[in-house]
Amino acid sequence: MKEEKIQLFDKTFKPYIRHERIIEAIDGVAKRVNADFRGCTDIPVILCVLNGSIPFTGELLQRLDFNCQVISIKMSSYQGTQSTGTVLNVMGLTSSVRGRRVIICEDIVDTGNTIVALKEMLLDKEGAADVRICTMLLKPEVYDKPVKLDYVGMEIPNDFIVGFGLDYNELGRNNKDIYVIDKPMKYYILFGPPGAGKGTHAGAIAQKYNLKHISTGELLRAEIAAGTELGKQAKTLIDAGSLVPDSVVEGMIETAFDSYPDVDGFLLDGFPRNLSQARDLDKLLEKRDESVTAVVGLMIDDNTIRERIKGRALIEGRADDASDATITHRIETYHAQTEPLIDYYKAAGKYHDVHVDCGTIEENRARVLALVDSIA
Ligand code: IMP
Ligand code: MG
């Protein structure tokens, strides 16, 4: 759907709710309104909240089968993509509603500030006999008012949308479909030799930036623990300090990318480990219209690697950390296969690193977070 994105000022939006689906929701709302008002002896007022509700009110009206009067009002609570919390009455009612039953037509209820202020004003100040709320869309995660929403077309998650009347700084209202803001996912690579502290600091980085931490080592150890076929193959290789085949690791990574829609991005730990994986990652992300955001390198020298890995072997009992021969093999594998990635990502202008040889874990964590801050 790459080509269907739209650009409004500084923001990109991608298709979200098709016109046909919106119309279905309006059909549903119209049925419920008709069921309540059909055969009424008064003339209810349909109140269009300008400008966002123009298309919705227009479609709804064509489906109402009782006599009604249409009037408008203009309120404003949004600036850019944020609700300001204060509702302004920009243009008053185009006709009196005293003693009348009113159906407010809103494009979308978000915090509910607008609709609740409007309902109160119609009842208390304008003397309406009854006020019902009819909204095309509702963001239930944000709506926090005790006021009942009488007719809701469709519930949506808390994302900023445009189209079918909804705007971003007055643009986008004329689109037939609804579009959602397209925030590029972040893909950070936590890089460094074994024992540098990737696993130690990953949690803090992931939490601070709402990233999903993906450790290929942990994904593999989970497969091994579960005794899967993949796990059995991987165990032999890992125990010998060797790398698991690229295709296996990349399959696991791709599955992980699809499994966490609510994060702002991913923190890759232990992947890519060689140039071919780095190129594959670029291709995989390009397919998704995305790219590596930055590499965060944690640097220590070979002697520190040895000390730390030995210490960890005692605590965690990891077979791949145990013997001198295995440690030497891992260090050699790092220098031969993984280290060339530094130049690869430097060439792309994405490489950043910090030395974490000395100091406490907390001091190093502060250094690492400061580095991520400087590139985020
Ligand atoms: P509320 O007062 O927070 O419920 O916001 C209601 C008004 O905010 C709507 O009538 C819209 O004008 C605007 N609004 C809320 N969410 C969005 C959105 O996702 N896109 C565009 N406008 C929105
Ligand atoms: Mg509105």
Side-chain angles (χ1 to χ4, degrees):
M1 296 232 270
K2 213 167 166 175
E3 62 287 351
E4 293 179 74
K5 288 184 182 176
I6 57 169
Q7 183 76 27
L8 302 176
F9 299 115
D10 58 325
K11 302 213 185 312
T12 310
F13 295 83
K14 61 186 176 190
Y16 192 49
I17 309 172
R18 294 280 173 210
H19 186 79
E20 296 69 31
R21 179 70 195 86
I22 304 170
I23 295 298
E24 270 175 37
I26 299 175
D27 279 338
V29 165
K31 272 205 190 90
R32 298 195 292 276
V33 175
N34 279 329
D36 289 348
F37 286 85
R38 187 177 288 127
C40 61
T41 48
D42 59 335
I43 300 178
V45 172
I46 305 295
L47 176 57
C48 174
V49 186
L50 299 174
N51 289 315
S53 310
I54 293 174
F56 171 52
T57 310
E59 290 292 340
L60 183 69
L61 271 179
Q62 297 172 51
R63 290 162 175 77
L64 297 183
D65 52 19
F66 53 92
N67 287 329
C68 54
Q69 180 190 355
V70 182
I71 72 170
S72 305
I73 191 169
K74 190 164 180 177
M75 322 270 289
S76 172
S77 71
Y78 251 66
Q79 228 165 41
T81 63
Q82 294 298 312
S83 179
T84 59
T86 36
V87 181
L88 301 173
N89 190 348
V90 179
M91 180 191 93
L93 290 170
T94 54
S95 182
S96 164
V97 296
R98 191 155 300 278
R100 310 281 296 275
R101 292 202 290 167
V102 180
I103 303 169
I104 305 175
C105 290
E106 255 291 28
D107 47 359
I108 187 164
V109 173
D110 184 315
T111 62
N113 290 337
T114 310
I115 204 83
V116 167
L118 179 57
K119 180 169 179 172
E120 234 165 63
M121 183 192 89
L122 293 173
L123 287 170
D124 300 347
K125 211 173 125 233
E126 303 291 339
D130 178 63
V131 174
R132 302 225 182 154
I133 297 172
C134 175
T135 183
M136 176 172 71
L137 301 168
L138 167 67
K139 295 180 182 171
E141 290 161 38
V142 202
Y143 184 66
D144 59 359
K145 308 290 184 291
V147 175
K148 182 182 165 215
L149 303 175
D150 303 271
Y151 312 99
V152 176
M154 198 178 187
E155 295 190 346
I156 59 162
N158 182 24
D159 294 312
F160 188 76
I161 57 169
V162 294
F164 205 84
L166 292 142
D167 72 306
Y168 169 51
N169 287 340
E170 295 303 327
L171 289 192
R173 296 195 197 275
N174 55 315
N175 288 283
K176 280 180 72 181
D177 302 316
I178 289 178
Y179 292 73
V180 67
I181 199 156
D182 190 24
K183 283 186 287 184
M185 275 278 184
K186 304 237 180 207
Y187 295 88
Y188 289 103
I189 296 169
L190 193 54
F191 183 85
K198 299 191 292 291
T200 306
H201 301 304
I205 304 173
Q207 196 188 4
K208 183 163 180 196
Y209 297 97
N210 188 30
L211 308 172
K212 171 68 191 166
H213 171 211
I214 300 181
S215 153
T216 43
E218 263 160 39
L219 289 179
L220 284 167
R221 281 192 286 279
E223 298 275 352
I224 294 170
T228 63
E229 200 43 49
L230 194 156
K232 282 181 203 151
Q233 290 170 14
K235 183 170 170 29
T236 319
L237 293 162
I238 292 177
D239 286 354
S242 299
L243 298 179
V244 173
D246 292 354
S247 58
V248 173
V249 177
E250 285 158 20
M252 288 191 326
I253 295 266
E254 197 163 11
T255 306
F257 285 167
D258 289 328
S259 307
Y260 303 95
D262 294 332
V263 296
D264 291 337
F266 297 90
L267 182 63
L268 299 178
D269 162 2
F271 179 90
R273 262 197 156 101
N274 57 44
L275 271 176
S276 127
Q277 286 186 350
R279 293 196 188 101
D280 287 349
L281 176 63
D282 282 349
K283 275 189 223 136
L284 193 150
L285 291 180
E286 202 187 322
K287 255 197 328 201
R288 307 166 77 91
D289 207 9
E290 284 157 344
S291 62
V292 168
T293 309
V295 177
V296 180
L298 310 189
M299 289 299 119
I300 56 175
D301 64 33
D302 288 0
N303 290 332
T304 316
I305 301 179
R306 284 181 189 283
E307 282 165 30
R308 291 214 185 146
I309 293 186
K310 281 195 173 154
R312 184 167 71 183
L314 291 177
I315 300 165
E316 292 181 15
R318 269 172 55 170
D320 59 336
D321 284 350
S323 77
D324 276 331
T326 309
I327 296 174
T328 302
H329 183 49
R330 290 180 67 198
I331 294 177
E332 280 167 7
T333 307
Y334 169 75
H335 286 306
Q337 299 196 30
T338 313
E339 211 167 40
L341 294 185
I342 296 180
D343 285 338
Y344 180 78
Y345 286 113
K346 270 187 182 163
K350 294 181 175 176
Y351 185 80
H352 311 263
D353 68 14
V354 59
H355 280 266
V356 289
D357 288 67
C358 50
T360 63
I361 289 183
E362 286 68 32
E363 282 163 358
N364 284 325
R365 176 163 302 140
R367 285 186 193 130
V368 174
L369 287 176
L371 175 68
V372 183
D373 264 340
S374 73
I375 53 186

